[in-house]
C-alpha cells in the first residue's frame, strides 16, 4: 500500500490549519487550479496575529494554487455556496488535502478533486 502524505508536510503548509479554513471560490482553468480561501494561521506562522474580536482563530485571506495541472478529476461539483448577510460566498471548508507524488487529493463541501500538478503553494493576500 502506498503511503499518503498529509498537507502539513508540504513546503509552506506546516503553519496553517486547513480544516477550519473557508473556501471562497474555486477557479479551475486549463493548466491551473486555485482555491481562494480564508485560512487559519497557527501561532508559528510568520503572519500570525492574535484572533480578532469575536474570532477563535487567526484568519488570513489567500489562494492555494496548483501549478502546471496535467489532470483534474472533480466529482460532486455544483453545490451552491452559502451566502452571508454581506453577500460573501462560502463553499465550506477543506476536509482533506493529502498527496502521493504529483497527485493531490482535495475534498470539501464543493466536491472531491484529484489533481495531478506541481506542488501547490499558498499565497496570502499581500504576499508576492
Amino acid at each position: 500500500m502506498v503511503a499518503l502524505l498529509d498537507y502539513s508536510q508540504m513546503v509552506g503548509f506546516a503553519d496553517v490549519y486547513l480544516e477550519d479554513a473557508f473556501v471562497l471560490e474555486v477557479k479551475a482553468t486549463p493548466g491551473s487550479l486555485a482555491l481562494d480561501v480564508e485560512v487559519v494561521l497557527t501561532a508559528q506562522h510568520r503572519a500570525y496575529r492574535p484572533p480578532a474580536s469575536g474570532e477563535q482563530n487567526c484568519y488570513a485571506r489567500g489562494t492555494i494554487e496548483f501549478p502546471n495541472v496535467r489532470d483534474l478529476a472533480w466529482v460532486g461539483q455544483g453545490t451552491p455556496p452559502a451566502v452571508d448577510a454581506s453577500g460573501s460566498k462560502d463553499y465550506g471548508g477543506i476536509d482533506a488535502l493529502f498527496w502521493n507524488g504529483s497527485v493531490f487529493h482535495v475534498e470539501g463541501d464543493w466536491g472531491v478533486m484529484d489533481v495531478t500538478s506541481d506542488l501547490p503553494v499558498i499565497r496570502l493576500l499581500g504576499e508576492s
Side-chain angles (χ1 to χ4, degrees):
M1 182 164 156
V2 176
L4 300 173
L5 302 171
D6 183 69
Y7 72 86
S8 63
Q9 296 174 305
M10 289 189 283
V11 173
F13 286 75
D15 297 333
V16 299
Y17 185 71
L18 296 181
E19 289 81 352
D20 286 338
F22 297 99
V23 177
L24 307 175
E25 189 170 357
V26 179
K27 301 174 194 168
T29 59
S32 71
L33 171 65
L35 304 176
D36 288 346
V37 294
E38 198 163 306
V39 66
V40 174
L41 304 181
T42 68
Q44 294 74 33
H45 195 281
R46 68 189 178 291
Y48 178 84
R49 53 153 177 74
S53 178
E55 291 184 344
Q56 230 175 353
N57 297 302
C58 171
Y59 290 95
R61 295 283 302 263
T63 303
I64 300 174
E65 300 172 359
F66 292 81
N68 295 320
V69 171
R70 296 174 291 286
D71 190 45
L72 171 62
W74 185 357
V75 177
Q77 60 182 304
T79 301
V83 179
D84 68 18
S86 70
S88 296
K89 295 178 183 177
D90 175 2
Y91 286 90
I94 297 174
D95 297 331
L97 171 55
F98 50 85
W99 93 101
N100 179 355
S102 62
V103 179
F104 301 88
H105 179 85
V106 193
E107 56 186 81
D109 293 343
W110 37 267
V112 175
M113 297 177 169
D114 287 307
V115 184
T116 303
S117 73
D118 292 351
L119 196 65
V121 295
I122 293 182
R123 297 194 197 292
L124 298 182
L125 199 61
E127 285 185 334
S128 52

